[in-house]
Amino acid sequence: MSIDKVKQAVEIIQSSGNIVAFTGAGASTESNIPDFRSAGGLYGVGGRNRYKYPPEYMLSYTFFIDNPRDFFDYYRNNLVYRDARPNDCHKALSRLEEAGKLKAVVTQNIDGLHQAAGSKTVYELHGSIYRNYCMKCRKSFSLDYVMDQGKPVPLCDACGGIVRPDVVLYEEALDENVLASAISAVRKAEVLLVIGSSLVVYPAAGIINYYRGNKMILINKTATPYDWSADIVINGSAGAVMREITPGICDEILDEI
Ligand code: NAD
């Protein structure tokens, strides 16, 4: 981690009251949730995918409709981590919001860890595993219902319809209101923190194009197609970097959550 870049990032964060964070699966790997594109991620050779299909297909609307049993088997075993707890990245962002410095988290993640850390304004571009609904009568269900009902495909206890997660599958559109709120927050941000995303999944990744400022700090373990447009690129682990660049704001309270 370059000391100069860390110092610059600290100064930018300390002097701003209008920070927005854009996070991806890399923000949650330190909570032991695999991402898609790291070596040990779901797309990797070691990914626990006993099906012959690529994850994009397993998580597509077509696959869900055609093979709901296999979809739920894959989904329950690869996308849901009920024991995961927020890491220092989630906690630091929550503390920045509490301090009145961070206006919103825009996340591609579906794991609910930003809210678990205490973040209040979170735009979940791809939905959440914690919201589930009957496709027939729209009744809402908990994650536990989907996981523990004991049926290969969870069924509504009111009408017998399929209960599906409120997550955006490949081929499905993003929620218009969530997208509009996310774009508005990014457009108005003075500082944009981009954390743990390969920035190759669209339209989500395209949202950072709406940023108008000159204080974009990109934190990622590996290179991304947007490194050129960032003002500061810090290659490192999200939790460790967030700890370094938020001294005084977060350090004394990180252990308390
Ligand atoms: P991705 O897997 O494509 O990319 C993750 C990026 O984060 C990689 O560039 C990787 O090098 C980096 N990274 C991994 N661990 C890191 C760490 N500790 N610190 C810093 N960087 C780290 O993920 P994406 O860009 O978010 O896009 C993939 C899609 O995956 C999203 O649409 C999301 O919905 C879905 N997804 C979500 C979760 C989750 O909710 N936690 C998990 C897996 C996939």
Side-chain angles (χ1 to χ4, degrees):
M1 222 183 292
S2 139
I3 294 172
D4 275 357
K5 287 183 186 176
V6 169
K7 226 172 125 193
Q8 278 176 45
V10 169
E11 278 163 20
I12 288 173
I13 288 171
Q14 281 181 344
S15 61
S16 179
N18 181 8
I19 303 167
V20 169
F22 178 93
T23 64
S28 292
T29 55
E30 286 158 78
S31 297
N32 297 320
I33 300 180
D35 63 5
F36 278 176
R37 292 176 186 80
S38 287
L42 295 181
Y43 284 17
V45 182
R48 284 169 295 152
N49 184 0
R50 62 189 170 82
Y51 295 93
K52 298 284 173 278
Y53 308 115
E56 280 104 335
Y57 183 52
M58 300 294 298
L59 297 170
S60 68
Y61 184 74
T62 300
F63 187 81
F64 167 58
I65 293 299
D66 291 349
N67 313 276
R69 287 174 79 106
D70 290 344
F71 170 85
F72 276 104
D73 180 51
Y74 184 78
Y75 174 80
R76 286 174 172 133
N77 285 309
N78 293 281
L79 273 296
V80 178
Y81 298 85
R82 281 188 283 187
D83 295 336
R85 294 289 169 264
N87 64 54
D88 285 350
C89 172
H90 303 106
K91 293 174 188 175
L93 294 175
S94 152
R95 288 314 193 210
L96 285 172
E97 182 183 29
E98 201 172 81
K101 297 175 73 60
L102 183 135
K103 298 298 176 207
V105 175
V106 176
T107 188
Q108 299 170 85
N109 297 342
I110 57 174
D111 55 34
L113 288 183
H114 287 298
Q115 291 91 333
S119 287
K120 300 283 181 280
T121 305
V122 182
Y123 300 122
E124 295 174 310
L125 297 169
H126 294 159
S128 171
I129 58 170
Y130 290 99
R131 291 189 302 272
N132 299 275
Y133 63 92
C134 170
M135 294 172 76
K136 232 176 176 177
C137 72
R138 310 292 290 189
K139 183 175 174 185
S140 296
F141 291 91
S142 66
L143 175 61
D144 288 345
Y145 186 90
V146 168
M147 297 300 281
D148 302 332
Q149 200 197 20
K151 296 195 170 95
V153 176
L155 298 177
C156 176
D157 59 5
C159 76
I162 292 180
V163 175
R164 67 160 284 180
D166 188 6
V167 302
V168 179
L169 301 175
Y170 286 96
E171 303 166 356
E172 291 187 306
L174 271 55
D175 180 285
E176 272 176 35
N177 293 328
V178 175
L179 186 59
S181 301
I183 288 173
S184 167
V186 168
R187 206 198 286 271
K188 287 190 282 196
E190 183 197 6
V191 176
L192 183 64
L193 291 175
V194 180
I195 308 171
S197 175
S198 60
L199 300 174
V200 297
V201 177
Y202 283 82
I207 289 177
I208 63 176
N209 288 322
Y210 288 92
Y211 177 59
R212 294 280 168 268
N214 59 359
K215 292 169 186 163
M216 174 169 150
I217 303 171
L218 194 153
I219 300 162
N220 209 64
K221 272 190 173 167
T222 53
T224 79
Y226 280 86
D227 286 6
W228 66 271
S229 69
D231 300 284
I232 301 176
V233 176
I234 303 179
N235 290 127
S237 286
V241 174
M242 285 305 293
R243 269 199 309 276
E244 289 286 322
I245 66 176
T246 57
I249 298 163
C250 303
D251 49 8
E252 75 280 16
I253 34 181
L254 281 176
D255 292 335
E256 291 171 15
I257 299 179

